Amino acid sequence: MAIDFKRLFNDTGIPHRDDEKRSWIHVNCPFCKNPADTHFNGGFYQLNPHFYCWRCGSHSHYDAVAKVLNISISQVKELFDTYNYISKEKAPVRIARGQNLELPGYRLDDNEKEYLSGRGFDPDYLQSKFHIRGGGTIGEWSYRILIPIYYHDVLVSWTGRSILSKDYQKEHKIPRYKNLSIEQSVINPKEIFFNLDNCDKDKVILVEGPFDVLRMGDDTICSLGTSVTREQELFLKNHFKKVFIAFDNEPAAQEKARHLGMNLNSAGMKVEVVNICEDFNKNDPGELTENEVLQIKKELEFL
């Protein structure tokens, strides 16, 4: 069932703009951290309802509307009963069709190593352990750290993290992460997780982003954002007995973690939602030190 977000925001007086085909309705993102979004970076897709912000990623369209209108989830559900409709258009089905992928890029150059070192990482270790590469200074993946996604030792996709300054990214509307398209991937990354090949226990730590995994290491996976698909939930249920959900240290992320935890628990999984950054006054796991990671893993009995 499609949702007429355009009519909803017209009726409620929310500033927005629509694209030429009216499939996406763009608003100021209610989730973005400082500085607040004022460039309609958030988008609601009408045909297959969901919300995506080019700066902070995917979120539940229920949560997004609740924040935009400052109402409860139950009120959002009542609104959707009013604004849903049957569309003659169908959302395109995106299918992974890639084969025999080769990771682009080069060995890390000085700028890329400096970026990683500045964030407290050992570039040589990351190249050896996770096979990351640099995007260089020209081309589609320029000024990005390329992080390959393997499954059973097969390269199935990758993502690229910008090394440009936050101000430059904002000014030029450059997304922090850029993913290989679903169609070019061997497996849709939102059906599995990054770092599965380094997990050999029946329990796992789930974090938000690739850099969180690079910090946390083995037995840690990421969902490429706080949005976890139904396919990913089923994957967790079928491959692990217990999951520790360790999203970023902010209210919105912790709320998403609790919601995911309830979904997984209702499916029969053992779940524990943990804010591993709070005691260390860090924003996300990627900011932790090696000693802090060791302490956390000992407490969660991964060491």
Side-chain angles (χ1 to χ4, degrees):
M1 188 72 70
I3 297 175
D4 193 342
F5 290 110
K6 181 177 178 64
R7 184 164 66 90
L8 169 60
F9 296 140
N10 278 336
D11 292 348
T12 53
I14 299 299
H16 63 278
R17 63 175 175 82
D18 58 311
D19 62 17
E20 294 180 358
K21 296 182 180 180
R22 297 181 59 208
S23 297
W24 283 93
I25 306 301
H26 301 277
V27 299
N28 294 333
C29 177
F31 298 100
C32 279
K33 303 175 184 178
N34 292 329
D37 170 30
T38 57
H39 296 89
F40 297 128
N41 294 325
F44 289 92
Y45 190 57
Q46 300 200 130
L47 303 182
N48 178 23
H50 61 277
F51 177 88
Y52 183 82
C53 170
W54 70 259
R55 181 182 290 128
C56 66
S58 298
H59 300 272
S60 160
H61 58 290
Y62 288 91
D63 293 340
V65 169
K67 280 186 170 292
V68 168
L69 298 181
N70 194 27
I71 59 177
S72 67
I73 294 295
S74 61
Q75 290 174 302
V76 171
K77 292 178 179 178
E78 292 177 3
L79 275 179
F80 284 173
D81 288 339
T82 301
Y83 290 93
N84 62 28
Y85 68 99
I86 298 175
S87 173
K88 295 180 181 179
E89 300 179 76
K90 290 186 177 180
V93 178
R94 305 188 67 186
I95 300 175
R97 304 180 186 276
Q99 296 181 10
N100 302 319
L101 295 183
E102 292 187 11
L103 186 68
Y106 319 87
R107 286 193 63 82
L108 299 174
D109 64 23
D110 290 342
N111 287 333
E112 292 155 351
K113 287 184 176 181
E114 182 179 352
Y115 171 81
L116 292 169
S117 298
R119 296 192 59 175
F121 291 99
D122 179 342
D124 294 329
Y125 172 76
L126 295 186
Q127 286 185 114
S128 173
K129 174 72 174 180
F130 297 98
H131 311 293
I132 69 169
R133 303 187 76 174
T137 58
I138 59 174
E140 181 180 4
W141 301 96
S142 60
Y143 298 103
R144 292 185 180 276
I145 302 296
L146 299 181
I147 305 171
I149 301 172
Y150 287 92
Y151 187 47
H152 295 316
D153 295 321
V154 175
L155 178 63
V156 298
S157 192
W158 62 78
T159 186
R161 172 62 158 91
S162 175
I163 65 171
L164 299 169
S165 71
K166 291 182 179 180
D167 289 341
Y168 189 92
Q169 290 178 55
K170 179 185 176 183
E171 180 182 355
H172 296 275
K173 296 187 176 181
I174 297 172
R176 181 172 55 174
Y177 281 98
K178 178 180 178 179
N179 303 323
L180 184 69
S181 72
I182 292 174
E183 292 79 7
Q184 292 174 294
S185 300
V186 176
I187 300 175
N188 181 351
K190 292 299 286 183
E191 293 179 1
I192 57 172
F193 298 87
F194 167 55
N195 202 39
L196 286 168
D197 283 2
N198 289 318
C199 299
D200 58 8
K201 294 181 173 57
D202 61 2
K203 60 183 179 180
V204 71
I205 301 170
L206 174 63
V207 294
E208 291 184 32
F211 267 68
D212 299 330
V213 171
L214 299 185
R215 177 68 70 204
M216 297 293 295
D218 292 350
D219 300 308
T220 306
I221 58 176
C222 83
S223 48
L224 301 179
T226 57
S227 174
V228 176
T229 65
R230 179 58 177 163
E231 290 81 5
Q232 288 176 313
E233 290 182 5
L234 290 173
F235 187 97
L236 288 172
K237 182 178 184 296
N238 291 332
H239 291 80
F240 300 100
K241 291 184 179 179
K242 183 173 183 178
V243 57
F244 293 88
I245 306 175
F247 285 175
D248 290 358
N249 183 22
E250 59 176 2
Q254 290 299 307
E255 178 60 30
K256 296 276 281 191
R258 287 189 288 271
H259 180 75
L260 173 60
M262 288 188 291
N263 286 349
L264 295 175
N265 186 260
S266 65
M269 280 200 76
K270 293 182 179 179
V271 181
E272 191 170 337
V273 177
V274 290
N275 188 341
I276 60 177
C277 298
E278 186 175 29
D279 289 344
F280 301 103
N281 196 29
K282 301 291 175 65
N283 293 319
D284 59 67
E287 297 180 356
L288 296 168
T289 66
E290 287 187 24
N291 287 336
E292 289 167 347
V293 169
L294 289 174
Q295 181 178 333
I296 290 166
K297 285 194 163 184
K298 285 180 180 178
E299 290 179 359
L300 300 182
E301 298 183 344
F302 278 86
L303 296 177

